[in-house]
Amino acid sequence: MHNNRVFKPTVIAVAIGLAFPATAALADEVQELISPNVTEVGASLLNVDKINPLYRQYTGLNSEGVNGSVDLNVVQRSDAGRWFRVEGRDLGLRTQEFKASAEQQGDWSVGIGYNQIPRFAPFTVITPVDGVGSNTLVMPAAFPGATSPVRTIGNEETLMTERKGTTLTARKFISDNLQVNFSFKHEDKQGVRMSGANGASGKGVNGATVSGALGTQIFAPEPIDSTHQQVEASIDYATKQFYLSGSYYGSFFENNAGNALFVTSPNVNNRTAMSPLSLAPDNHAHEFQLAGGYNFSSDTQLKASVGKTLAYQNNSFIPASLIAVEQGAPGSAFRPGVLTKRSDLGGKVETTNAFASFTSRLTRDLSVLASWAYEFRDDKTPEDIYLIDYNHGGAQVTNNPLSQKTQRGKLEASYRLPMGFKLTGGYDYDVRKYDGMDELFRDKTTEGTFRLDLRKSLGETLNGSVTVSHSDRDGSKWGSTPSPRFVNSPAELARVGGSIGEHWTAPTQFSDRERDKVRLLLDWLPTNALSVQFSYEYANDDFSTRVDKIGLNKGKFELFSLDGSYRLSERWKANMWYSHGKNEIEQHSLQSTFGSLCNGSSVRNTCVPWGAQLNLNSDAIGAGFDGQLTSALSVGGQYLYSHDVNEYDISVANLGVRSPLPGATSPVLAGAGILPDTKYQQNTLRLFARYAFNKSTAMRLDYVWDKREFDDFTWQSWRFSDGTRVFQKPEQTTQLIGVTVSHRF
């Protein structure tokens, strides 16, 4: 039922009004509660001085000069309890939203909505590639040389995507206890998304390898033209003691851009062996859910749910004729004509989930909670060959259907201690089993977490809490565990002994890990006018690697924030906040040639250990104010400053074994790994003034000054092999001036 409260004149209300005459302002507020009917229209003109990629990314403003929009708010209610609402925001801009609904209070409701969500790429693209936005790209006939100076050639392309969604909703109360709900959403997404491809080895006449295509990186933007439909329906039955709900959710995705992106060129040497490139396939999914709950008493409740999801991907692949060799012997040992005989993936994933929770207040001071969740993701997709690795022995590569079972449990108890303390202790359990995992990894991980939370009201003006937790994750035996010795020759290997192998790095989600976390919260209210909130969080991760510290070693996270607000008077208030965040990651890896066992028998220094210390520091501060100069004129402002720095410390690592230095005989070239810091800084100032001509008409003036600076080597001198430049201006300043006139009827 709707939450709006309806007030009607009563004898008591009339008596109070006669005994205590209200001011005109108070009378207006009471009248608004009694009769919420309103029709308000606002028209805005926004002048943008410059279009900058970083600012337009989500605002949708992509044209200089004046941009106009309309806001609309209509609320109508009849004496019979029938509501009609219309709400529009940014109508006329790319970010526009519109909603309309009708409702008979306590009986039925229907609604319709529309919204647009644009996203512009935060960089500038200048490319000689033709066909951007279509499923056929044409590379230039000639690629610039690797040593030619960096320069921009071609046309500037705007990469962006835009979602347009329409939603229909309906609800009906069959009885006081029974309700049905329905919603349907249709969304179209169009545009172009940043992407690229490796040229690998091109194919010329008679299947000959084209050396000009080796190691090339081509600009291959992905065309976006898709339709996504979602259907939700549920039926709910509830009494004071229990409730039961059955629901269905359906998802239907269709890629109107086709299933392949073709890359061609007038010059055969500039064609990519990876063409055509696959695009997102059509798919659909269906979820059925049954949920319920039972109240044994006001202090004890049980909740449970069970569900089944069926997901399918059976869209046809590229015709097999397109996978055949252009000029050569189909089926030959060098290049088979067809990789797979399947016309579609036959993708099918069945997911079964169940959940149950029990809560009870056993005594006045003691309450407990227990919950359990189960999910079985059963991947029934057939396994087949989809790729042949010509460059490394012609190995046949198949897809890898992976099934996973997950169980999560939680036990928690809270107890009220003397002197206003409340202690909560808990244990969380997480176990995951994998079927279809590569034999080199593990097929089970288990993690347990202990938590303690202590809260206390430290006084009438101060409240606080501290939470600490410790997690420990391990797993089953690894499929293989290499134990390398970094040596420079077979003779040295014979002297030092030891086993060799490959696949040194343990994926993060399978690695043994210990995690410690602490969180501190304080809320201080020294006066009715001043409030201050403080928080601090810290987390530390220690990883156990498979061998010789290869992989993630350590991680640390810190976040500090301070937020305060102060009411200067009845008409003026101000606020300020500050936050500091820090992330640190330490990891090690190996630079090696393909298939190397790090035994020193092939190329000298074939495996070089290296390490990275990655640090991210983020600072942000903001301040704002608003108030009334007169009863008709109000003003306000806000300032935001943020500064992010990424630090890279990459070097040859000392892992406790002999490790050669970078140089001419090493895969790690001299000077490699020395990367400059990347920095991002934002300054944004917002000011407004609002003047009310009367109770119905007002004008608002807005001003925005936004400056963004960054120093990122990635976007300064890099380019695709075909000559495409993707870059960002290191300093971007945008100014906006807006005027809005609103009127209430």
Side-chain angles (χ1 to χ4, degrees):
M1 299 180 65
H2 202 278
N3 293 326
N4 281 3
R5 297 180 178 179
V6 181
F7 298 89
K8 294 185 178 181
T10 63
V11 174
I12 296 178
V14 173
I16 293 176
L18 292 175
F20 304 96
T23 64
L26 179 60
D28 290 341
E29 293 179 4
V30 173
Q31 182 62 28
E32 288 183 5
L33 295 174
I34 297 175
S35 179
N37 298 343
V38 64
T39 299
E40 185 174 9
V41 178
S44 300
L45 295 177
L46 181 64
N47 183 73
V48 185
D49 73 328
K50 187 181 298 183
I51 300 302
N52 288 308
L54 288 173
Y55 189 84
R56 75 176 178 185
Q57 186 172 3
Y58 296 106
T59 63
L61 297 173
N62 194 42
S63 59
E64 297 180 3
V66 177
N67 297 261
S69 66
V70 173
D71 291 344
L72 178 65
N73 182 36
V74 178
V75 178
Q76 297 292 326
R77 179 192 177 276
S78 69
D79 292 338
R82 181 165 297 179
W83 293 81
F84 176 71
R85 296 179 177 86
V86 176
E87 182 180 353
R89 187 181 69 85
D90 290 345
L91 300 179
L93 298 178
R94 288 183 180 270
T95 54
Q96 61 186 346
E97 296 181 15
F98 176 83
K99 293 187 293 183
S101 64
E103 174 187 359
Q104 178 61 56
Q105 191 168 328
D107 189 5
W108 57 264
S109 68
V110 293
I112 184 172
Y114 174 83
N115 71 307
Q116 290 181 220
I117 305 176
R119 184 192 184 279
F120 287 86
F123 37 70
T124 300
V125 177
I126 298 181
T127 178
V129 176
D130 290 331
V132 174
S134 70
N135 62 356
T136 301
L137 299 175
V138 181
M139 295 290 112
F143 283 8
T147 59
S148 63
V150 175
R151 58 191 181 91
T152 55
I153 56 174
N155 301 317
E156 182 173 338
E157 298 285 352
T158 298
L159 304 188
M160 61 90 65
T161 58
E162 186 171 45
R163 300 174 184 262
K164 297 180 180 180
T166 302
T167 304
L168 301 174
T169 61
R171 181 183 61 188
K172 171 65 177 176
F173 288 93
I174 306 300
S175 67
D176 291 341
N177 305 107
L178 186 62
Q179 173 183 325
V180 293
N181 307 278
F182 174 82
S183 70
F184 171 76
K185 183 176 182 180
H186 178 98
E187 182 180 86
D188 291 319
K189 184 177 180 181
Q190 295 181 325
V192 184
R193 182 161 48 204
M194 178 71 177
S195 185
N198 289 325
S201 56
K203 295 179 293 184
V205 279
N206 299 322
T209 300
V210 178
S211 60
L214 287 172
T216 59
Q217 293 179 320
I218 63 173
F219 178 60
E222 179 186 354
I224 303 296
D225 185 3
S226 63
T227 299
H228 187 203
Q229 296 178 326
Q230 300 175 73
V231 178
E232 293 186 69
S234 68
I235 180 168
D236 308 321
Y237 183 81
T239 67
K240 290 183 178 180
Q241 194 167 23
F242 75 93
Y243 79 91
L244 187 65
S245 175
S247 62
Y248 165 80
Y249 169 78
S251 171
F252 308 87
F253 175 83
E254 182 179 357
N255 192 347
N256 305 314
N259 53 16
L261 174 62
F262 298 87
V263 182
T264 185
S265 172
N267 185 346
V268 67
N269 292 345
N270 291 344
R271 298 178 185 175
T272 172
M274 297 298 291
S275 177
L277 305 170
S278 62
L279 298 178
D282 299 350
N283 58 79
H284 57 101
H286 311 269
E287 178 184 290
F288 304 89
Q289 195 83 12
L290 182 65
Y294 188 81
N295 298 324
F296 296 94
S297 67
S298 59
D299 295 325
T300 305
Q301 296 87 34
L302 174 67
K303 298 179 182 179
S305 66
V306 62
K308 187 80 171 183
T309 302
L310 307 174
Y312 303 92
Q313 196 280 92
N314 47 24
N315 188 33
S316 296
F317 277 168
I318 303 170
S321 60
L322 296 178
I323 308 176
V325 175
E326 295 176 1
Q327 298 285 337
S332 67
F334 177 64
R335 283 209 174 112
V338 178
L339 300 184
T340 179
K341 295 181 180 180
R342 296 195 60 87
S343 61
D344 61 71
L345 176 68
K348 181 180 180 180
V349 178
E350 294 185 4
T351 302
T352 304
N353 62 77
F355 172 80
S357 69
F358 176 81
T359 59
S360 180
R361 186 177 180 182
L362 301 179
T363 67
R364 179 177 178 273
D365 298 319
L366 177 63
S367 60
V368 296
L369 178 150
S371 68
W372 172 81
Y374 168 84
E375 181 181 88
F376 178 31
R377 184 180 181 273
D378 189 8
D379 193 341
K380 296 185 176 182
T381 304
E383 187 174 351
D384 211 329
I385 301 170
Y386 290 99
L387 178 67
I388 296 181
D389 192 348
Y390 297 115
N391 293 330
H392 302 105
Q396 296 179 343
V397 183
T398 68
N399 60 317
N400 184 35
L402 177 63
S403 298
Q404 176 180 329
K405 289 183 180 179
T406 303
Q407 296 189 67
R408 298 184 182 93
K410 176 187 291 187
L411 288 174
E412 185 177 285
S414 297
Y415 189 78
R416 294 184 181 275
L417 299 170
M419 302 176 62
F421 285 97
K422 181 180 180 181
L423 179 65
T424 300
Y427 177 73
D428 301 333
Y429 179 75
D430 186 305
V431 58
R432 306 186 184 198
K433 295 182 179 180
Y434 303 89
D435 182 15
M437 181 60 61
D438 191 300
E439 64 180 6
L440 298 171
F441 302 131
R442 54 185 14 164
D443 56 14
K444 180 181 178 180
T445 61
T446 303
E447 183 169 12
T449 302
F450 291 93
R451 295 177 287 107
L452 277 178
D453 178 85
L454 182 64
R455 297 174 181 269
K456 177 175 171 53
S457 176
L458 304 178
E460 296 182 357
T461 62
L462 184 63
N463 298 290
S465 69
V466 59
T467 305
V468 295
S469 66
H470 174 79
S471 303
D472 195 351
R473 182 177 68 195
D474 56 19
S476 59
K477 183 179 179 181
W478 295 97
S480 68
T481 302
S483 180
R485 295 293 184 268
F486 302 104
V487 296
N488 296 326
S489 68
E492 187 172 3
L493 174 66
R495 289 197 304 270
V496 300
S499 61
I500 57 177
E502 49 185 345
H503 301 286
W504 321 101
T505 303
T508 303
Q509 68 270 30
F510 299 110
S511 299
D512 292 348
R513 181 193 67 191
E514 289 190 29
R515 169 173 289 178
D516 294 290
K517 296 177 64 177
V518 61
R519 181 177 63 183
L520 175 65
L521 300 176
L522 290 174
D523 190 346
W524 184 39
L525 187 67
T527 68
N528 291 332
L530 176 64
S531 66
V532 180
Q533 292 80 41
F534 165 83
S535 69
Y536 175 76
E537 294 185 58
Y538 173 87
N540 184 78
D541 290 341
D542 278 321
F543 293 88
S544 297
T545 58
R546 295 175 67 175
V547 61
D548 282 332
K549 298 183 180 180
I550 301 298
L552 281 176
N553 283 244
K554 295 182 179 180
K556 186 169 72 173
F557 164 80
E558 284 185 283
L559 177 62
F560 165 87
S561 66
L562 184 65
D563 191 341
S565 62
Y566 184 71
R567 182 174 292 276
L568 303 171
S569 67
E570 290 297 324
R571 290 190 171 189
W572 291 90
K573 60 182 178 180
N575 70 292
M576 176 177 286
W577 56 270
Y578 169 75
S579 69
H580 171 75
K582 185 175 184 178
N583 277 295
E584 297 180 0
I585 298 175
E586 180 184 341
Q587 65 182 46
H588 298 102
S589 189
L590 288 175
Q591 170 73 19
S592 65
T593 56
F594 181 85
S596 172
L597 299 180
C598 293
N599 58 7
S601 61
S602 54
V603 181
R604 185 183 177 189
N605 298 342
T606 182
C607 288
V608 177
W610 60 272
Q613 183 72 44
L614 310 178
N615 299 317
L616 168 62
N617 293 281
S618 177
D619 291 277
I621 187 170
F625 75 96
D626 65 78
Q628 288 184 293
L629 293 174
T630 68
S631 59
L633 179 61
S634 58
V635 296
Q638 184 184 67
Y639 173 72
L640 168 66
Y641 169 83
S642 65
H643 184 71
D644 298 336
V645 179
N646 285 287
E647 299 175 350
Y648 309 90
D649 183 6
I650 302 176
S651 61
V652 174
N654 181 6
L655 304 182
V657 294
R658 291 195 61 178
S659 56
L661 297 176
T665 61
S666 168
V668 180
L669 300 179
I674 303 174
L675 299 178
D677 298 345
T678 60
K679 303 175 182 179
Y680 180 84
Q681 184 172 295
Q682 177 179 346
N683 285 271
T684 301
L685 175 67
R686 301 176 183 271
L687 300 172
F688 81 88
R690 183 180 184 276
Y691 185 81
F693 296 100
N694 50 51
K695 297 178 182 179
S696 301
T697 305
M699 175 181 289
R700 176 179 170 126
L701 177 66
D702 287 273
Y703 172 75
V704 178
W705 177 82
D706 182 272
K707 183 178 181 180
R708 309 192 186 197
E709 302 172 81
F710 75 97
D711 183 3
D712 189 341
F713 64 92
T714 307
W715 303 105
Q716 301 307 315
S717 58
W718 183 83
R719 64 174 175 178
F720 285 95
S721 302
D722 53 50
T724 300
R725 285 287 316 280
V726 181
F727 60 93
Q728 290 182 332
K729 292 184 296 183
E731 182 177 312
Q732 302 178 23
T733 302
T734 307
Q735 296 186 75
L736 299 89
I737 298 178
V739 178
T740 302
V741 177
S742 60
H743 182 75
R744 302 184 67 175
F745 296 91

